């Protein structure tokens, strides 16, 4: 099973969106979840992250690997 979400929860405030992410990931534990996130800080909830820029995947990996100086991911976090 796979759940694919695009901008789901974009209209929610931060606490509500955090709760939504936690509940959906809990409900789909053991299944694939692909989510286009409105806020890069939510990426820490996921095992694997892909950063898309200009329509292309420019970085991917664990948040711990991407959250470093000089990465597009770090630029997104700093801008949010």
């Amino acid at each position: 099973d796979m759940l694919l979400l695009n901008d789901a929860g974009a209209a929610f405030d931060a606490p509500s969106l955090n709760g939504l992410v936690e509940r959906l990931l809990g409900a789909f534990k053991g299944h694939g979840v692909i989510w286009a996130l409105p806020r890069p800080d939510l990426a820490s909830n996921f095992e694997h992250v892909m950063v898309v820029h200009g329509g292309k995947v420019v970085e991917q990996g664990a948040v711990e690997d991407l959250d470093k100086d000089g990465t597009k991911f770090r630029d997104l976090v700093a801008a949010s």
Side-chain angles (χ1 to χ4, degrees):
D1 293 331
M2 175 77 60
L3 177 64
L4 177 61
L5 301 163
N6 182 21
D7 272 344
F12 288 91
D13 61 17
S16 297
L17 183 54
N18 289 339
L20 177 65
V21 169
E22 288 177 19
R23 285 190 302 280
L24 280 175
L25 290 178
F28 280 83
K29 189 172 181 83
H31 302 282
V33 177
I34 299 173
W35 196 324
L37 296 169
R39 295 188 357 240
D41 61 301
L42 294 170
S44 62
N45 292 292
F46 294 83
E47 293 175 16
H48 191 84
V49 175
M50 293 192 299
V51 178
V52 177
H53 181 74
K56 296 182 181 183
V57 175
V58 294
E59 295 172 347
Q60 62 178 315
V63 170
E64 301 81 34
D65 297 329
L66 298 177
D67 194 15
K68 297 179 179 172
D69 288 337
T71 63
K72 288 281 186 193
F73 180 81
R74 177 65 70 86
D75 292 345
L76 288 170
V77 172
S80 64

